[in-house]
Amino acid sequence: MLQLNGAKYAFRGTVAFPLIVLSACHTDQIGGQGKDAGDAASVVIKMDAARDTPADGTADQKGAGGSLGGAPYTFTEFSVPSSDTSPDGITVGADGNLWFAGGVVSDTTVGKITTTGTITLYSSYRFGGTHCIARGPDGNVWYTDDLDSYVGKVTPSGDFTEFPVPNTTGDQQSFPTGIVLGPDGNLWVSDRFNVLSSITPSGTFNGYLAAKTSYGLAGIVVGPDNNLWVKEDDGNSIARITPSGTLTEFRVPKPTDYTFWEDGPNDITLGPDGNLWFTEGNGNRIGRITPSGTITEFAIPTADSSPNSIAKGPDGNLWFTECRASQLARITPAGTITEYAVPTAKSCPSGIVAGPDGAIWFTEYSANKIGRMAL
Protein backbone atom coordinates (compact mmCIF):
# COMPACT_ATOMS: atom_id res chain seq x y z
CA MET A 1 0.00 0.00 0.00
CA LEU A 2 1.30 3.45 -0.87
CA GLN A 3 0.05 6.77 0.38
CA LEU A 4 1.58 9.93 -0.98
CA ASN A 5 0.95 12.71 1.50
CA GLY A 6 -2.51 11.25 1.98
CA ALA A 7 -3.39 11.39 -1.74
CA LYS A 8 -3.73 8.72 -4.42
CA TYR A 9 -0.45 8.15 -6.18
CA ALA A 10 0.08 9.11 -9.82
CA PHE A 11 3.36 8.83 -11.77
CA ARG A 12 5.23 12.02 -12.50
CA GLY A 13 5.87 12.92 -16.10
CA THR A 14 9.61 13.56 -15.97
CA VAL A 15 12.38 12.42 -13.68
CA ALA A 16 15.76 14.08 -13.30
CA PHE A 17 18.74 11.81 -12.73
CA PRO A 18 21.40 13.04 -10.29
CA LEU A 19 24.77 11.42 -9.86
CA ILE A 20 24.10 8.26 -7.84
CA VAL A 21 26.60 7.61 -5.07
CA LEU A 22 26.66 5.32 -2.07
CA SER A 23 25.04 6.71 1.05
CA ALA A 24 24.93 8.71 2.14
CA CYS A 25 26.91 3.81 4.07
CA HIS A 26 34.17 -4.13 7.40
CA THR A 27 46.76 -12.84 10.67
CA ASP A 28 48.90 -12.83 8.42
CA GLN A 29 50.36 -9.42 7.76
CA ILE A 30 51.15 -6.61 10.12
CA GLY A 31 51.71 -3.20 8.67
CA GLY A 32 50.29 -1.64 5.54
CA GLN A 33 50.85 1.52 3.58
CA GLY A 34 53.03 4.15 5.18
CA LYS A 35 51.11 6.80 7.04
CA ASP A 36 51.12 10.32 5.67
CA ALA A 37 53.13 12.92 7.50
CA GLY A 38 50.96 14.29 10.26
CA ASP A 39 48.66 11.26 10.51
CA ALA A 40 48.06 10.10 14.05
CA ALA A 41 50.18 7.16 15.12
CA SER A 42 48.23 3.95 14.81
CA VAL A 43 48.75 0.21 14.78
CA VAL A 44 47.38 -1.50 11.68
CA ILE A 45 46.64 -5.21 11.39
CA LYS A 46 45.34 -6.90 8.26
CA MET A 47 43.53 -10.22 8.41
CA ASP A 48 43.16 -11.91 5.01
CA ALA A 49 40.51 -14.59 5.24
CA ALA A 50 40.03 -16.92 2.28
CA ARG A 51 37.26 -15.60 0.08
CA ASP A 52 34.37 -17.71 -1.07
CA THR A 53 32.09 -16.56 -3.85
CA PRO A 54 28.82 -18.55 -3.54
CA ALA A 55 26.69 -19.61 -6.45
CA ASP A 56 23.76 -17.42 -7.47
CA GLY A 57 20.69 -17.89 -5.32
CA THR A 58 22.52 -19.00 -2.20
CA ALA A 59 20.40 -17.74 0.67
CA ASP A 60 22.78 -18.42 3.52
CA GLN A 61 26.52 -18.58 2.86
CA LYS A 62 29.05 -18.93 5.66
CA GLY A 63 32.45 -17.53 4.85
CA ALA A 64 35.88 -17.82 6.37
CA GLY A 65 36.33 -16.88 9.98
CA GLY A 66 39.24 -16.34 12.26
CA SER A 67 40.29 -14.98 15.62
CA LEU A 68 39.34 -11.53 16.82
CA GLY A 69 41.42 -10.58 19.85
CA GLY A 70 41.52 -14.22 20.87
CA ALA A 71 37.79 -14.77 20.22
CA PRO A 72 36.43 -16.38 17.04
CA TYR A 73 34.52 -14.49 14.37
CA THR A 74 32.46 -15.81 11.49
CA PHE A 75 30.98 -14.20 8.39
CA THR A 76 27.56 -15.23 7.12
CA GLU A 77 26.04 -13.79 3.94
CA PHE A 78 22.39 -13.76 2.91
CA SER A 79 21.41 -13.20 -0.73
CA VAL A 80 18.63 -10.66 -1.28
CA PRO A 81 15.81 -12.39 -3.22
CA SER A 82 15.61 -9.82 -6.00
CA SER A 83 17.86 -8.83 -8.88
CA ASP A 84 16.59 -5.24 -8.73
CA THR A 85 18.25 -4.23 -5.48
CA SER A 86 21.68 -2.99 -4.43
CA PRO A 87 21.35 -2.77 -0.63
CA ASP A 88 22.86 0.35 0.89
CA GLY A 89 21.99 1.93 4.25
CA ILE A 90 21.02 -0.35 7.16
CA THR A 91 19.51 0.25 10.61
CA VAL A 92 17.88 -1.61 13.51
CA GLY A 93 14.11 -1.27 13.64
CA ALA A 94 11.86 -0.99 16.65
CA ASP A 95 10.75 -4.57 15.96
CA GLY A 96 14.25 -5.95 16.60
CA ASN A 97 14.93 -6.70 12.94
CA LEU A 98 17.45 -5.14 10.57
CA TRP A 99 16.05 -2.86 7.87
CA PHE A 100 17.94 -1.82 4.76
CA ALA A 101 17.51 0.55 1.84
CA GLY A 102 17.18 -1.14 -1.54
CA GLY A 103 19.34 1.35 -3.43
CA VAL A 104 19.57 1.51 -7.24
CA VAL A 105 17.24 3.17 -9.71
CA SER A 106 14.10 1.04 -9.68
CA ASP A 107 10.96 0.65 -7.59
CA THR A 108 11.40 2.27 -4.19
CA THR A 109 12.36 -0.75 -2.08
CA VAL A 110 13.07 -1.28 1.61
CA GLY A 111 14.03 -4.68 3.00
CA LYS A 112 13.80 -6.40 6.37
CA ILE A 113 16.06 -9.18 7.59
CA THR A 114 15.62 -11.06 10.84
CA THR A 115 18.62 -11.98 12.96
CA THR A 116 18.22 -15.54 11.69
CA GLY A 117 18.48 -14.38 8.06
CA THR A 118 14.91 -14.31 6.72
CA ILE A 119 14.58 -11.46 4.21
CA THR A 120 11.33 -9.72 3.24
CA LEU A 121 11.22 -6.98 0.61
CA TYR A 122 8.65 -4.18 0.50
CA SER A 123 8.14 -1.79 -2.40
CA SER A 124 6.09 1.34 -2.91
CA TYR A 125 6.07 0.63 -6.67
CA ARG A 126 7.12 4.20 -7.31
CA PHE A 127 10.20 4.75 -9.41
CA GLY A 128 12.96 5.92 -7.10
CA GLY A 129 16.12 5.03 -5.23
CA THR A 130 16.47 4.54 -1.47
CA HIS A 131 19.91 4.90 0.07
CA CYS A 132 19.81 6.23 3.64
CA ILE A 133 17.57 4.77 6.33
CA ALA A 134 16.95 5.47 10.03
CA ARG A 135 14.73 4.34 12.86
CA GLY A 136 12.00 6.81 13.70
CA PRO A 137 10.34 7.67 17.03
CA ASP A 138 7.03 6.17 15.86
CA GLY A 139 8.07 2.52 15.51
CA ASN A 140 8.60 2.91 11.74
CA VAL A 141 11.75 3.16 9.66
CA TRP A 142 12.34 6.27 7.57
CA TYR A 143 14.33 6.66 4.38
CA THR A 144 15.40 9.24 1.83
CA ASP A 145 14.93 8.97 -1.92
CA ASP A 146 17.63 11.15 -3.43
CA LEU A 147 16.56 10.25 -6.95
CA ASP A 148 13.10 11.79 -6.82
CA SER A 149 13.19 14.03 -3.71
CA TYR A 150 11.00 12.12 -1.27
CA VAL A 151 11.20 11.18 2.39
CA GLY A 152 9.23 8.09 3.31
CA LYS A 153 8.35 5.82 6.19
CA VAL A 154 7.61 2.10 6.30
CA THR A 155 5.62 0.37 9.03
CA PRO A 156 6.79 -2.98 10.46
CA SER A 157 4.13 -4.63 8.25
CA GLY A 158 5.49 -2.96 5.10
CA ASP A 159 3.05 -0.10 4.47
CA PHE A 160 4.60 2.96 2.84
CA THR A 161 3.80 6.65 3.29
CA GLU A 162 5.85 9.10 1.27
CA PHE A 163 6.25 12.86 1.48
CA PRO A 164 7.68 15.03 -1.32
CA VAL A 165 10.40 17.31 0.04
CA PRO A 166 9.32 20.95 -0.42
CA ASN A 167 11.33 23.00 -2.86
CA THR A 168 13.15 25.57 -0.74
CA THR A 169 15.91 26.65 -3.11
CA GLY A 170 14.23 27.22 -6.46
CA ASP A 171 15.87 24.15 -7.94
CA GLN A 172 13.83 21.39 -9.55
CA GLN A 173 14.60 18.87 -6.80
CA SER A 174 16.25 18.87 -3.39
CA PHE A 175 17.96 15.44 -3.53
CA PRO A 176 17.59 14.48 0.16
CA THR A 177 20.46 12.30 1.38
CA GLY A 178 21.11 11.82 5.11
CA ILE A 179 18.41 11.23 7.71
CA VAL A 180 18.57 10.99 11.50
CA LEU A 181 16.26 11.11 14.51
CA GLY A 182 16.87 14.48 16.14
CA PRO A 183 16.89 15.41 19.82
CA ASP A 184 13.48 17.08 19.36
CA GLY A 185 11.75 13.83 18.33
CA ASN A 186 11.57 14.80 14.66
CA LEU A 187 13.48 13.44 11.69
CA TRP A 188 16.17 15.71 10.25
CA VAL A 189 17.06 15.42 6.58
CA SER A 190 20.07 16.85 4.76
CA ASP A 191 20.14 17.53 1.04
CA ARG A 192 22.56 18.39 -1.72
CA PHE A 193 21.38 22.00 -1.86
CA ASN A 194 22.64 22.80 1.65
CA VAL A 195 19.31 22.64 3.46
CA LEU A 196 18.43 20.75 6.62
CA SER A 197 14.72 19.95 6.89
CA SER A 198 12.81 18.88 9.98
CA ILE A 199 9.88 16.51 9.44
CA THR A 200 7.48 15.37 12.15
CA PRO A 201 6.44 11.71 12.52
CA SER A 202 3.11 12.67 10.91
CA GLY A 203 4.92 13.98 7.84
CA THR A 204 4.83 17.75 8.30
CA PHE A 205 7.94 19.64 7.24
CA ASN A 206 8.20 22.23 9.96
CA GLY A 207 11.63 23.75 9.85
CA TYR A 208 14.47 24.56 7.50
CA LEU A 209 18.03 25.50 8.24
CA ALA A 210 19.79 26.92 5.19
CA ALA A 211 23.46 26.11 5.62
CA LYS A 212 25.65 28.86 4.18
CA THR A 213 28.18 26.59 2.53
CA SER A 214 29.12 25.91 -1.06
CA TYR A 215 29.08 22.15 -0.54
CA GLY A 216 26.14 19.74 -0.52
CA LEU A 217 25.17 18.24 2.83
CA ALA A 218 24.87 14.47 3.20
CA GLY A 219 25.54 12.13 6.17
CA ILE A 220 24.12 13.49 9.42
CA VAL A 221 24.27 12.58 13.11
CA VAL A 222 23.32 14.13 16.46
CA GLY A 223 26.40 14.97 18.51
CA PRO A 224 26.93 14.75 22.26
CA ASP A 225 26.22 18.51 22.34
CA ASN A 226 22.74 18.01 20.79
CA ASN A 227 23.88 19.80 17.65
CA LEU A 228 23.61 18.31 14.19
CA TRP A 229 26.91 17.24 12.66
CA VAL A 230 26.93 16.84 8.89
CA LYS A 231 29.46 15.79 6.31
CA GLU A 232 29.78 18.09 3.32
CA ASP A 233 29.33 15.83 0.34
CA ASP A 234 31.39 17.66 -2.26
CA GLY A 235 33.75 19.40 0.09
CA ASN A 236 36.48 18.65 2.54
CA SER A 237 34.76 19.73 5.75
CA ILE A 238 32.58 18.62 8.65
CA ALA A 239 29.84 21.06 9.61
CA ARG A 240 28.28 21.62 13.02
CA ILE A 241 24.82 23.16 12.94
CA THR A 242 23.01 24.34 16.05
CA PRO A 243 19.20 24.07 16.42
CA SER A 244 19.01 27.81 15.70
CA GLY A 245 20.86 27.39 12.40
CA THR A 246 24.37 28.58 13.22
CA LEU A 247 26.83 26.71 11.03
CA THR A 248 30.50 26.18 11.81
CA GLU A 249 32.74 24.37 9.35
CA PHE A 250 35.86 22.40 10.26
CA ARG A 251 38.24 21.75 7.41
CA VAL A 252 39.65 18.23 7.10
CA PRO A 253 43.44 18.76 7.17
CA LYS A 254 44.79 16.41 4.52
CA PRO A 255 44.60 17.36 0.85
CA THR A 256 44.60 14.64 -1.80
CA ASP A 257 45.05 14.42 -5.54
CA TYR A 258 41.32 15.02 -5.94
CA THR A 259 40.86 18.68 -6.78
CA PHE A 260 37.04 18.71 -6.56
CA TRP A 261 35.96 16.31 -3.84
CA GLU A 262 39.31 16.36 -2.04
CA ASP A 263 39.12 14.01 0.96
CA GLY A 264 35.37 13.67 0.55
CA PRO A 265 34.09 12.76 4.04
CA ASN A 266 31.58 9.95 3.42
CA ASP A 267 29.78 9.10 6.66
CA ILE A 268 29.78 10.31 10.25
CA THR A 269 28.74 8.76 13.56
CA LEU A 270 29.00 9.35 17.31
CA GLY A 271 31.74 7.27 18.88
CA PRO A 272 31.90 5.58 22.29
CA ASP A 273 34.42 8.23 23.40
CA GLY A 274 32.04 11.17 22.92
CA ASN A 275 33.75 12.30 19.70
CA LEU A 276 32.46 12.23 16.12
CA TRP A 277 34.09 9.77 13.74
CA PHE A 278 33.94 9.93 9.96
CA THR A 279 35.22 8.15 6.86
CA GLU A 280 37.28 9.90 4.18
CA GLY A 281 36.41 8.15 0.94
CA ASN A 282 39.05 9.72 -1.28
CA GLY A 283 41.59 10.39 1.47
CA ASN A 284 41.53 6.72 2.54
CA ARG A 285 41.51 7.69 6.20
CA ILE A 286 39.30 7.64 9.25
CA GLY A 287 38.80 10.98 10.95
CA ARG A 288 37.94 11.86 14.53
CA ILE A 289 36.62 15.29 15.48
CA THR A 290 36.00 16.50 19.01
CA PRO A 291 32.89 18.57 19.81
CA SER A 292 35.20 21.61 19.88
CA GLY A 293 36.44 20.90 16.36
CA THR A 294 39.87 19.27 16.74
CA ILE A 295 40.44 16.74 13.96
CA THR A 296 42.75 13.72 14.06
CA GLU A 297 43.17 11.39 11.10
CA PHE A 298 44.20 7.74 10.89
CA ALA A 299 45.53 6.16 7.68
CA ILE A 300 43.87 2.93 6.51
CA PRO A 301 46.38 0.15 5.75
CA THR A 302 44.82 -0.98 2.47
CA ALA A 303 45.45 1.56 -0.28
CA ASP A 304 42.42 2.96 -2.13
CA SER A 305 40.02 0.99 0.09
CA SER A 306 37.17 3.52 -0.31
CA PRO A 307 35.89 3.66 3.29
CA ASN A 308 32.16 4.28 3.25
CA SER A 309 29.88 3.90 6.28
CA ILE A 310 30.92 3.88 9.94
CA ALA A 311 29.07 2.86 13.10
CA LYS A 312 29.69 2.25 16.79
CA GLY A 313 30.13 -1.44 17.52
CA PRO A 314 28.96 -3.49 20.50
CA ASP A 315 32.58 -3.95 21.61
CA GLY A 316 33.41 -0.30 22.37
CA ASN A 317 35.11 0.22 19.00
CA LEU A 318 34.01 1.67 15.68
CA TRP A 319 33.45 -0.42 12.57
CA PHE A 320 33.47 0.74 8.97
CA THR A 321 33.06 -0.65 5.45
CA GLU A 322 35.64 -0.55 2.66
CA CYS A 323 33.86 -0.67 -0.69
CA ARG A 324 36.72 -1.14 -3.13
CA ALA A 325 38.66 -3.48 -0.85
CA SER A 326 35.58 -5.60 0.00
CA GLN A 327 36.51 -5.51 3.66
CA LEU A 328 35.15 -4.59 7.06
CA ALA A 329 37.46 -2.79 9.44
CA ARG A 330 37.56 -1.99 13.14
CA ILE A 331 39.19 1.07 14.65
CA THR A 332 39.66 1.47 18.38
CA PRO A 333 39.20 4.87 20.04
CA ALA A 334 43.01 5.01 20.22
CA GLY A 335 43.32 4.56 16.45
CA THR A 336 44.28 0.90 15.98
CA ILE A 337 42.84 -0.38 12.69
CA THR A 338 42.20 -4.05 11.88
CA GLU A 339 40.75 -5.17 8.55
CA TYR A 340 38.74 -8.30 7.71
CA ALA A 341 38.12 -9.63 4.19
CA VAL A 342 34.46 -10.22 3.36
CA PRO A 343 33.90 -13.71 1.85
CA THR A 344 32.50 -12.42 -1.46
CA ALA A 345 35.06 -10.52 -3.52
CA LYS A 346 34.11 -7.25 -5.25
CA SER A 347 30.97 -7.03 -3.11
CA CYS A 348 31.39 -3.35 -2.13
CA PRO A 349 30.35 -3.39 1.56
CA SER A 350 28.33 -0.24 2.12
CA GLY A 351 26.03 0.31 5.14
CA ILE A 352 26.94 -1.00 8.59
CA VAL A 353 25.26 -1.23 11.99
CA ALA A 354 25.55 -3.10 15.28
CA GLY A 355 22.72 -5.62 15.42
CA PRO A 356 20.49 -6.46 18.39
CA ASP A 357 22.19 -9.86 18.52
CA GLY A 358 25.64 -8.42 19.24
CA ALA A 359 26.90 -9.01 15.69
CA ILE A 360 28.00 -6.54 13.03
CA TRP A 361 25.56 -6.35 10.11
CA PHE A 362 26.39 -4.78 6.77
CA THR A 363 25.12 -4.48 3.22
CA GLU A 364 26.97 -5.62 0.10
CA TYR A 365 25.99 -3.15 -2.59
CA SER A 366 27.51 -4.88 -5.62
CA ALA A 367 26.84 -8.48 -4.50
CA ASN A 368 23.19 -7.85 -3.54
CA LYS A 369 23.67 -9.45 -0.13
CA ILE A 370 23.34 -8.73 3.55
CA GLY A 371 26.31 -9.77 5.66
CA ARG A 372 26.68 -10.68 9.32
CA MET A 373 29.94 -10.81 11.26
CA ALA A 374 29.62 -12.65 14.56
CA LEU A 375 32.15 -11.35 17.07
Side-chain angles (χ1 to χ4, degrees):
M1 181 183 71
L2 169 64
Q3 298 178 54
L4 211 56
N5 228 15
K8 185 177 180 180
Y9 176 72
F11 282 96
R12 297 172 62 175
T14 59
V15 178
F17 291 86
L19 175 67
I20 300 298
V21 296
L22 295 179
S23 59
C25 304
H26 0 340
T27 59
D28 300 334
Q29 178 181 353
I30 298 180
Q33 68 184 43
K35 63 186 180 66
D36 295 336
D39 278 332
S42 63
V43 178
V44 293
I45 304 170
K46 183 174 177 60
M47 304 184 72
D48 292 315
R51 295 189 186 276
D52 181 17
T53 304
D56 291 341
T58 301
D60 184 342
Q61 177 69 33
K62 288 192 175 181
S67 177
L68 178 65
Y73 71 89
T74 303
F75 281 106
T76 307
E77 296 175 302
F78 305 92
S79 294
V80 178
S82 171
S83 61
D84 294 329
T85 52
S86 292
D88 201 349
I90 188 169
T91 192
V92 178
D95 57 356
N97 296 310
L98 290 301
W99 290 76
F100 58 93
V104 304
V105 180
S106 185
D107 289 343
T108 302
T109 301
V110 171
K112 176 181 69 178
I113 180 169
T114 67
T115 54
T116 57
T118 300
I119 295 177
T120 306
L121 298 179
Y122 304 98
S123 176
S124 73
Y125 300 103
R126 179 186 56 78
F127 185 79
T130 56
H131 290 278
C132 293
I133 191 166
R135 177 174 169 175
D138 52 357
N140 301 314
V141 291
W142 289 70
Y143 62 88
T144 55
D145 174 0
D146 64 351
L147 174 68
D148 212 18
S149 297
Y150 281 88
V151 171
K153 62 180 178 181
V154 185
T155 67
S157 60
D159 291 336
F160 283 71
T161 305
E162 297 187 312
F163 309 94
V165 179
N167 187 322
T168 61
T169 63
D171 293 285
Q172 182 180 359
Q173 293 176 291
S174 65
F175 302 140
T177 50
I179 186 168
V180 70
L181 176 60
D184 56 355
N186 296 317
L187 284 302
W188 285 84
V189 178
S190 56
D191 71 34
R192 299 188 191 280
F193 289 103
N194 311 320
V195 174
L196 288 179
S197 303
S198 171
I199 180 172
T200 68
S202 62
T204 300
F205 286 88
N206 65 353
Y208 309 95
L209 301 179
K212 295 181 179 179
T213 175
S214 58
Y215 304 116
L217 303 178
I220 182 172
V221 70
V222 177
D225 51 4
N226 275 341
N227 293 317
L228 297 170
W229 290 76
V230 192
K231 76 180 185 73
E232 296 185 342
D233 196 41
D234 297 332
N236 198 36
S237 299
I238 301 296
R240 180 184 65 204
I241 305 175
T242 67
S244 62
T246 300
L247 178 140
T248 306
E249 293 176 305
F250 302 96
R251 188 78 171 169
V252 175
K254 297 293 185 301
T256 70
D257 293 335
Y258 292 81
T259 57
F260 181 67
W261 282 298
E262 297 192 24
D263 278 1
N266 274 8
D267 192 24
I268 186 168
T269 194
L270 178 61
D273 56 354
N275 296 313
L276 290 305
W277 291 74
F278 57 94
T279 56
E280 298 178 28
N282 294 332
N284 205 46
R285 287 180 284 263
I286 300 299
R288 179 183 67 204
I289 181 170
T290 67
S292 61
T294 300
I295 294 177
T296 307
E297 297 174 287
F298 304 92
I300 295 173
T302 297
D304 196 28
S305 69
S306 187
N308 191 25
S309 297
I310 187 168
K312 183 168 61 176
D315 56 354
N317 300 305
L318 292 116
W319 289 78
F320 59 94
T321 54
E322 297 177 5
C323 176
R324 289 195 187 99
S326 292
Q327 297 180 148
L328 298 191
R330 178 190 66 187
I331 182 168
T332 69
T336 299
I337 296 176
T338 310
E339 297 174 300
Y340 306 90
V342 171
T344 300
K346 299 181 180 180
S347 60
C348 185
S350 182
I352 190 168
V353 71
D357 55 352
I360 299 295
W361 288 79
F362 58 99
T363 59
E364 298 180 54
Y365 189 88
S366 296
N368 201 24
K369 296 178 180 179
I370 307 299
R372 179 182 184 270
M373 183 181 184
L375 305 183

